[in-house]
Amino acid sequence: MSIGTKRMLTGNKAMAEAIRQEMERDPNVFVMGEDVGVYGGIFGSTEGLFERFGPERVRDTPISETGFIGAAIGAAAEGMRPVVELMFVDFFGVCMDQIYNHMAKIHYMSGGSVKLPMVLMTAVGGGYNDAAQHSQTLYATFAHVPGLKVVAPSTPYDLKGMMISAIRDDNPVLFMFHKALQGLGWMDPLDAAIGPVPEEPYTVPLDKAKVVREGSDVTIVGIQMMTHAALAAAERLATDGVEAEVIDLRSLAPLDKTTILESVRKTHRLLVVDEDYLSYGMTAEVAAVVAEEALYDLDAPIRRLAVPDVPIPYSRPLEQFVLPNAGKVYEAAKQLVAR
Amino acid sequence: MAIPVEKLKWMYETMVKIRIYEETMVSVYAEGKTPVFNIGAGPVPGEMHLAAGQEPVAAGVCAHLRPDDTVTAPHRPHHHAIAKGVDLRRMTAEIFGKETGLGKGKGGHMHLFDPAVKFSCGGIIAAGVPHAVGAALAAKMQGKDAVAVAFIGEGAANAGAFHEALNLAALWKLPVVVVIEDNRYGISVPKEASTAVASNADRGSAYGIPAVFVKDNDVLATYEAAGEAVARARRGEGPSLVEIETYRYLGHFQGDPEVYRDKGEVPALRDRDPILRLRQHLLQQGLVSEADLADLEARARAAVEDAYQFARESAYPRPEAALEDLFEPAPADVQLAQ
């Protein structure tokens, strides 16, 4: 495909297009959630779907997450393929039983006889001063429980391809999309929130990390916004003569250990960056995998960069202090390669 | 309403089967747990919630259901499962933790799933009500006339999931019947100490749906009330709420010291046993003979004995099978993509 023919979409339009194409392909696919109808989703994930499919298949719900996520589970068990939205991941507390005890466990407890082909999509992330109850990513909270596939794409291309894969998958998939990468008019405009997206349907696997920049001196593992922070840091490192390899994890569960280990065996240094809390999080999991399987390939101790175990604060200087960013990734990587 | 004789006989046989099943479980569960009670010992380990005495609820409601109707049940699920037609052998094998069980030994007594008759249950109070609403939504969207029934205990009517699900069902006019089994106690706490209304049927008006309270553990009255609710759902007229007064002869779980109720309570209830009452009714009305009933009882006993024997003789799963059945394989086109 030549540059001239590339179609550019924002993250939200890429997601909405994926859902639209799957709804056209399969009458069992339907959407349910708060403000997914006329409004098109608070973060634009269902833009245009209501006009195309109407209120039966693009179903506004009451503020009733236990009720409608539970109903999605019941409908999925009957062969429907619901795409249900939890508006902010932070709201998980009011419906965690349905997610943790039912959506994640029914397939296993039934010995595989009950399938739940459903997608639970949810908005994650901070950086826009929405404070502690509307800014979390909570990646690890959901990746921790067995039985869920948990993905967090970072480009419009992957948002579309992974959403199509998620809808076609016969398992429950938690699809986390980052608010800042939706390309919404009322947030900081980011280059990363718009990108080339083919018009035709395509799939991207739900279990594969991606090397988004090759390098030989240090491996930086990130996901969603932290992938972009790592890429920006890598450009700056390159001017210092340091070639960083950047891995976009894309999927938290299952974790693509192979891609991480291959990279570490090449670069011999590892920095893991996360917009979630530090303790017991993704950075710890990736570090443990490398410590268990590639410890003697390392030339320096593993470094981790994440939210330092406090809730996300409101005030701009406070929030910017706790969130990792390109500058912090650069500094950490510089220190790591100097060891 | 004249109840067809075949339905009456089916309900009688089902209630007897449930009673024999649960009473057999009392002794099987006790194996290996004496003289010292150890919940993890014996052929049936773990918690055990039995429903002896609550047969009218399951039989009176499920008499109206087809195999393609959905039932969700709570932690005390055997009577609902039996009445819904769950495979008794595989259900019992599941409770024994055997590889032939419904969930290959991964679920156990509180987590029975039989998709062939659209039955499921779970150990979290009220959580199955949204699932039933979703099944009803699926039926409606798929253009089927199937209905969904959620069985819950009276304690569950105070949980959020119950209210959220009822609101959704009423809002979307879904073919759901929520059946509350009022067995008087949420574990140890009596209904009057946990619930602000005497009858949960009063809560139907909060959602603008019909609701009735059926008194005295009466299978015939239950049959009638459930029949109206199921028919209404099947006609596409929306959800209903039915609360049924019933009695739990055994503890909340086996091993429950039952310090919260008078020692005379259960013997008094047993004097008015719903199975005996149905038996007398059938004979007094001249609908069946003693010999007919003996045949039904023998058939019920044989089914239960066969199921327990099947479970005992089945093998345990390979230990490493614990690592299987977490996910379905991805479809080929997803695996092949870049």
Side-chain angles (χ1 to χ4, degrees), chain A residues 67 78 98 107-108 171 205, chain B residues 70 118 131 164 322 325 328 338:
Chain A
E78 300 289 339
Q98 290 295 338
H107 185 272
Y108 183 81
N171 300 285
Chain B
T70 295
K118 294 188 185 285
H131 301 168
E164 291 195 19
D325 296 318
E328 289 289 311
Q338 67 169 68

Side-chain angles (χ1 to χ4, degrees), chain A residues 298-330:
Chain A
L298 290 172
D299 287 345
I302 298 164
R303 280 293 307 268
R304 298 192 286 150
L305 202 52
V307 175
D309 293 339
V310 292
I312 310 294
Y314 162 66
S315 178
R316 189 172 299 113
L318 302 179
E319 185 180 28
Q320 293 306 314
F321 178 77
V322 304
L323 291 181
N325 57 30
K328 293 175 193 175
V329 176
Y330 170 80

Side-chain angles (χ1 to χ4, degrees), chain B residues 114-332:
Chain B
D114 191 351
V117 293
K118 294 188 185 285
F119 178 87
S120 67
C121 59
I124 309 291
I125 294 306
V129 191
H131 301 168
V133 167
L137 175 63
K140 190 175 181 185
M141 292 183 79
Q142 292 163 350
K144 299 173 181 167
D145 71 344
V147 305
V149 174
F151 288 100
I152 57 171
E154 90 289 343
N158 296 318
F162 166 78
H163 294 278
E164 291 195 19
L166 267 194
N167 182 60
L168 271 185
L171 182 72
W172 292 343
K173 222 175 165 185
L174 298 176
V176 185
V177 181
V178 176
V179 176
I180 301 173
E181 293 184 86
D182 172 15
N183 69 9
R184 298 186 179 186
Y185 299 98
I187 304 186
S188 66
V189 177
K191 188 183 187 185
E192 62 269 21
S194 69
T195 304
V197 289
S199 164
N200 283 303
D202 293 349
R203 288 171 155 166
S205 62
Y207 303 103
I209 62 172
V212 293
F213 185 81
V214 179
K215 286 195 276 193
D216 199 25
N217 211 17
D218 180 344
V219 69
L220 301 179
T222 297
Y223 177 90
E224 198 163 326
E228 284 176 30
V230 170
R232 185 172 180 277
R234 220 182 284 289
R235 287 195 304 266
E237 293 171 16
S240 308
L241 183 60
V242 181
E243 184 167 43
I244 300 160
E245 186 180 36
T246 188
Y247 307 120
R248 192 186 79 204
Y249 287 175
L250 301 165
H252 166 70
F253 38 54
Q254 293 306 100
D256 178 358
E258 296 184 68
V259 292
Y260 49 86
R261 61 179 175 182
D262 189 90
K263 294 292 173 220
E265 184 177 302
V266 172
L269 294 172
R270 283 188 186 269
D271 284 345
R272 307 195 59 260
D273 188 88
I275 298 177
L276 293 178
R277 278 153 62 197
L278 179 60
R279 197 176 203 286
Q280 284 160 5
H281 171 81
L282 294 174
L283 290 171
Q284 279 166 7
Q285 299 291 311
L287 297 167
V288 296
S289 66
E290 279 283 1
D292 292 336
L293 293 178
D295 282 349
L296 297 177
E297 289 157 8
R299 203 160 66 176
R301 182 169 298 280
V304 172
E305 285 173 357
D306 169 72
Y308 276 91
Q309 188 182 346
F310 176 81
R312 282 192 194 274
E313 289 173 356
S314 290
Y316 280 107
R318 295 169 293 112
E320 57 273 22
L323 304 180
E324 298 164 2
D325 296 318
L326 194 60
F327 290 115
E328 289 289 311

Side-chain angles (χ1 to χ4, degrees), chain A residues 104-125:
Chain A
K105 293 177 185 166
I106 283 176
H107 185 272
Y108 183 81
M109 292 195 299
S110 72
S113 71
V114 178
K115 290 189 224 173
L116 296 181
M118 62 183 288
V119 180
L120 177 59
M121 59 181 178
T122 187
V124 307

